[in-house]
Amino acid sequence: MQASDVVGSAAGAVSLVCFVPQAFKIYKGDDTRDLSVYSFAAIFTAAVLWMSYGVMRTDWPLIATNAFQLLTIVYILAMIARNRERAKLAEPETGQ
């Protein structure tokens, strides 16, 4: 393993660790009201692009870390969508 692989793996691991606490907090408390769907959508897009870049270069540290990051981000986005739908269904109708 080259030094660049070690640095790439470490960077990917730190990036992934940034989202795991948020996902765990959502899992435990089910609260996503303060999360920006736009931010997580942008992060999702970046992870897809980085993973695609890794596939093009056959760079396994990029592929693996971004694949795990994508799983975490997809979970967070799914919980945001689910909770927003629940909130919308719980709102009383104001029809006249």
Side-chain angles (χ1 to χ4, degrees):
M1 189 179 259
Q2 296 180 355
S4 62
D5 291 335
V6 173
V7 171
S9 296
V14 170
S15 294
L16 176 61
V17 169
C18 292
F19 299 106
V20 170
Q22 186 66 64
F24 187 71
K25 185 176 180 183
I26 292 168
Y27 176 76
K28 294 298 275 184
D30 204 34
D31 184 13
T32 59
R33 287 175 294 189
D34 294 333
L35 299 180
S36 168
V37 71
Y38 300 112
S39 292
F40 279 98
I43 294 165
F44 173 83
T45 302
V48 167
L49 292 170
W50 275 113
M51 192 170 83
S52 300
Y53 177 69
V55 168
M56 287 185 243
R57 295 179 47 92
T58 317
D59 187 334
W60 288 105
L62 273 178
I63 296 167
T65 55
N66 282 288
F68 285 117
Q69 186 171 345
L70 280 170
L71 291 174
T72 306
I73 295 166
V74 165
Y75 170 76
I76 292 169
L77 285 169
M79 293 297 99
I80 291 171
R82 184 194 73 178
N83 289 347
R84 288 189 178 179
E85 187 62 29
R86 280 183 179 173
K88 191 184 304 181
L89 292 174
E91 290 176 4
E93 290 193 31
T94 58
Q96 303 271 343

